[in-house]
Amino acid sequence: MYGSRGANGVIIIETKRGEMGSFKVNVNAWGAIYSSIEKPDFVGAYDYMLLRNEAHKTQGLTAAFTDAEIADAKSGKLRSTDWLDEVQSKVAHTYNTTASITGGGGVGRFNLMLGYNDEKGLTGLENSNKFSARFNTNINLADKFIIMADFYAHRLNVDRGFEKDYQNLPFEQAWKMNPTQQIFYDDAETGLDIPNHYALYNDINPMAYINEGGWRKNMHDRITINLRPRYYITPELHIAGDMSYMINKSASKWERMTFKFYDKNGKPVTVWAHSVDSEQNASTSQLTARGTINYESRLRGEADKVYFVAGSEIMTTTYTNFNEYTKASFFGKGTYSFDDRYIAEVTVRGDGSSKFAPGNQWGFFPSASVAWNVHNEKFMGKLIENGIVDNLKFRFSFGRIGNENVSPYLWQEIVNTWGWTMRVPNPKFTWEKQKQWNAAVDFGILRNRLTGSFDIYKKHSYDLIYSDFPVPPLTGSYELKTAMNIGEVDNKGLELSLNWSDKIGDHFRYSIGAMLFDNKNTVQKAGHTKDDVLVFKNDVNKIWYKGVPM
């Protein structure tokens, strides 16, 4: 059903709605503590010195450390610094609180939900908090006419380090440090009195960056309004509409105070100058309208179920920087369930996107699936009654989906005021496509205490989208790039998930889950032919050719 919109998987979120009757208030709170695992086991200062001297000796170089320095490291007089531990000095934790009020009577019902989440990271730089509010209501205007209205808003505050494009900088720097290097100079040894006397090594000290390098605060707001009218022509047949408006806004501010660095003799080395600023990012608004006709009925004395839906959707996204794109879709789906044992489903949809060149804006994305509920077979009766098997389902699906995750206007020519071609047009630029199949089994045993699923899949992606594909200089383009569909990639793998859920006594429940997955991807064709080699324009170390993983 999701077609091009399901290119990277689909997560379905069902919003809880109000219930008829008296008002109900529910409050839920939970907290968690996080810890990094599988940390590398770095050598200490003593072993590092020995290994470094051995490497220098092999290369015919002078020893890096003297015997006295090595003795100090062995005795502990020279402190061994585990920089990764120092960077991750905080206890990462989170807590979440939600409250809901539901009720209804007469012609309507409602549900109001409020939530607050707060997270603290390992370094003290990565923190975030989110406040959200959701309100929905169902209004029965007539026996056959219902309107469902939803309102959602949230504010997300994300705190990070000062450097916008290097949010992992403390961790990256920690990997470059060695255990003989100290965070601070020992002023008791140097005879100086300099507060926070950080030692710099090639202008690097991750702890100085964390504590003195400044901060960046990012704020993200989202508001969504949704109206969904339903008109029931008959109990089995109804038409439905869905009109929604969403707006996203974001802004950032940052500051770094002046901080001076000195060497071990007290002489100035460098200064982090005071810097403060803010920016308002481009806002995004999205208007969506969808209409469907739905038919659902029971056959053969309620044993079978048939469901059909057909409809159309149009979605327009506008940015405050005047960028805009539109997407239109036509779709249909049919599902037949025979005795709740055998299920078959067929979906067809066509999607058009203004991001692509005229004549190549539409894509056709069909899919089909079948399933077998083995637990509903008569021969499973004894196993079901004894609580050995509760659920056993085999399923298989295949289809084609599309990807339009790319900026608008890339297919067009861009010419600057001097008449230079800044970007070469491509009137054949179109959808990236993916053929895929999936076979799986879902199960629940021991009265559903142990549940799980096992999937195997293969995905073949072709007409891959490249926003900045290099073009020959003979085109006369200044930037030497264009948008292109080129190449093929295969992904295949498996996923296994298991979950054990049980209770102790009447009031304590617990669950334990685990997941195992393996995925292998290989380039089948890097260019126009299988022998082509593709070197990426913005990353010369990234090279694709047939057989290499992505």
Side-chain angles (χ1 to χ4, degrees):
M1 189 66 183
Y2 302 96
S4 64
R5 301 184 71 176
N8 297 309
V10 175
I11 298 176
I12 300 176
I13 300 176
E14 292 287 345
T15 303
K16 185 177 180 181
R17 309 195 74 81
E19 300 177 357
M20 301 296 285
S22 59
F23 290 105
K24 295 180 181 179
V25 178
N26 180 60
V27 178
N28 180 57
W30 59 265
I33 296 176
Y34 304 102
S35 177
S36 58
I37 60 174
E38 304 244 348
K39 293 189 293 185
D41 186 16
F42 292 117
V43 298
Y46 173 70
D47 291 324
Y48 176 83
M49 288 179 172
L50 294 179
L51 292 170
R52 183 76 179 274
N53 277 358
E54 183 179 341
H56 276 222
K57 182 179 179 181
T58 303
Q59 297 171 354
L61 302 175
T62 304
F65 302 97
T66 66
D67 292 339
E69 290 173 326
I70 295 174
D72 286 345
K74 186 176 182 180
S75 66
K77 183 178 179 180
L78 175 68
R79 178 177 176 268
S80 181
T81 306
D82 188 326
W83 285 94
L84 203 55
D85 274 351
E86 295 291 343
V87 165
Q88 301 177 111
S89 60
K90 306 294 183 182
V91 177
H93 62 277
T94 181
Y95 65 86
N96 185 84
T97 304
T98 58
S100 66
I101 304 173
T102 64
V107 298
R109 49 196 170 102
F110 75 93
N111 184 21
L112 172 65
M113 293 171 284
L114 302 175
Y116 180 77
N117 177 266
D118 190 87
E119 294 187 10
K120 305 296 183 185
L122 292 168
T123 68
L125 287 178
E126 340 67 10
N127 305 311
S128 67
N129 62 76
K130 179 180 179 181
F131 175 78
S132 62
R134 186 187 300 272
F135 177 80
N136 62 59
T137 182
N138 288 21
I139 303 174
N140 301 318
L141 298 179
D143 291 341
K144 296 183 178 181
F145 189 35
I146 301 173
I147 289 183
M148 292 180 283
D150 298 80
F151 171 82
Y152 173 77
H154 78 229
R155 168 160 289 183
L156 173 63
N157 295 302
V158 181
D159 297 344
R160 292 293 185 264
F162 180 80
E163 298 291 344
K164 180 179 180 180
D165 299 323
Y166 299 96
Q167 294 305 314
N168 294 320
L169 189 61
F171 297 97
E172 294 176 6
Q173 290 184 348
W175 280 86
K176 297 176 182 178
M177 310 302 288
N178 74 63
T180 68
Q181 296 168 330
Q182 305 300 303
I183 300 173
F184 299 100
Y185 288 116
D186 187 353
D187 283 356
E189 180 182 311
T190 61
L192 302 173
D193 184 17
I194 301 176
N196 298 325
H197 193 182
Y198 287 99
L200 287 181
Y201 306 93
N202 294 322
D203 290 329
I204 291 176
N205 186 319
M207 294 307 298
Y209 176 80
I210 290 174
N211 296 321
E212 309 295 342
W215 49 261
R216 176 177 293 269
K217 296 182 181 293
N218 307 290
M219 182 180 68
H220 307 274
D221 289 340
R222 169 175 289 188
I223 296 176
T224 302
I225 301 173
N226 185 264
L227 293 176
R228 292 181 287 164
R230 303 284 188 273
Y231 182 75
Y232 288 83
I233 302 171
T234 69
E236 297 83 15
L237 180 66
H238 76 273
I239 55 176
D242 192 333
M243 292 162 285
S244 67
Y245 179 75
M246 179 181 69
I247 185 167
N248 293 323
K249 291 186 175 182
S250 62
S252 302
K253 61 180 180 179
W254 55 91
E255 184 175 19
R256 181 181 63 194
M257 303 301 292
T258 301
F259 189 82
K260 298 180 179 180
F261 290 90
Y262 302 89
D263 65 14
K264 64 180 179 180
N265 297 316
K267 295 182 179 180
V269 176
T270 188
V271 176
W272 284 348
H274 179 241
S275 176
V276 59
D277 208 343
S278 63
E279 67 178 357
Q280 175 75 47
N281 300 319
S283 300
T284 307
S285 62
Q286 188 176 91
L287 182 64
T288 304
R290 182 187 305 113
T292 60
I293 182 167
N294 304 262
Y295 178 80
E296 184 176 352
S297 181
R298 292 281 184 175
L299 304 175
R300 293 196 320 119
E302 302 293 316
D304 299 351
K305 180 181 178 181
V306 61
Y307 174 73
F308 295 100
V309 59
S312 178
E313 177 186 82
I314 186 168
M315 179 176 66
T316 299
T317 303
T318 306
Y319 300 85
T320 50
N321 61 5
F322 299 104
N323 283 345
E324 180 178 343
Y325 66 89
T326 300
K327 181 180 177 182
S329 304
F330 297 92
F331 51 84
K333 180 174 74 171
T335 305
Y336 191 91
S337 174
F338 179 82
D339 200 26
D340 202 21
R341 290 183 293 161
Y342 314 111
I343 304 170
E345 183 175 281
V346 175
T347 301
V348 293
R349 67 177 294 139
D351 294 302
S353 175
S354 65
K355 293 180 178 181
F356 302 119
N360 292 284
Q361 294 178 332
W362 286 90
F364 179 63
F365 307 107
S367 64
S369 62
V370 292
W372 178 25
N373 288 322
V374 183
H375 58 274
N376 288 332
E377 297 288 354
K378 291 181 179 180
F379 61 78
M380 296 290 291
K382 289 293 184 181
L383 295 174
I384 300 295
E385 290 175 9
N386 295 330
I388 299 174
V389 177
D390 303 279
N391 175 49
L392 182 59
K393 180 179 182 179
F394 293 98
R395 50 188 169 85
F396 177 79
S397 64
F398 64 95
R400 183 169 69 170
I401 57 180
N403 175 30
E404 57 150 359
N405 187 20
V406 67
S407 300
Y409 315 120
L410 291 181
W411 65 273
Q412 295 177 321
E413 182 179 24
I414 297 178
V415 180
N416 67 8
T417 54
W418 297 92
W420 297 347
T421 298
M422 305 296 290
R423 188 179 187 89
V424 177
N426 181 4
K428 295 184 179 181
F429 187 51
T430 187
W431 291 84
E432 178 176 309
K433 293 170 278 290
Q434 184 182 96
K435 295 178 181 177
Q436 64 179 37
W437 62 262
N438 172 272
V441 56
D442 304 317
F443 61 87
I445 60 177
L446 304 177
R447 303 199 183 280
N448 272 328
R449 285 179 292 180
L450 178 61
T451 59
S453 64
F454 178 72
D455 291 72
I456 57 173
Y457 60 87
K458 183 177 181 180
K459 303 176 183 179
H460 177 71
S461 303
Y462 58 103
D463 288 342
L464 304 182
I465 289 177
Y466 294 99
S467 302
D468 299 315
F469 192 83
V471 298
L474 57 87
T475 60
S477 172
Y478 176 77
E479 289 286 333
L480 300 179
K481 63 184 179 181
T482 187
M484 182 73 71
N485 297 100
I486 194 170
E488 300 178 9
V489 173
D490 277 354
N491 280 270
K492 57 183 178 181
L494 57 87
E495 295 180 2
L496 173 65
S497 63
L498 297 172
N499 189 76
W500 176 269
S501 179
D502 204 353
K503 63 180 181 178
I504 300 175
D506 296 328
H507 304 290
F508 182 78
R509 299 191 63 89
Y510 69 93
S511 63
I512 302 173
M515 177 175 286
L516 173 68
F517 59 90
D518 179 67
N519 180 76
K520 181 181 180 181
N521 58 59
T522 54
V523 175
Q524 299 300 312
K525 188 166 68 173
H528 296 288
T529 69
K530 293 186 177 182
D531 296 326
D532 286 345
V533 175
L534 178 61
V535 179
F536 284 75
K537 180 178 177 65
N538 296 323
D539 187 357
V540 295
N541 294 317
K542 186 177 180 181
I543 302 175
W544 279 14
Y545 51 89
K546 180 177 172 57
V548 70
M550 292 178 60

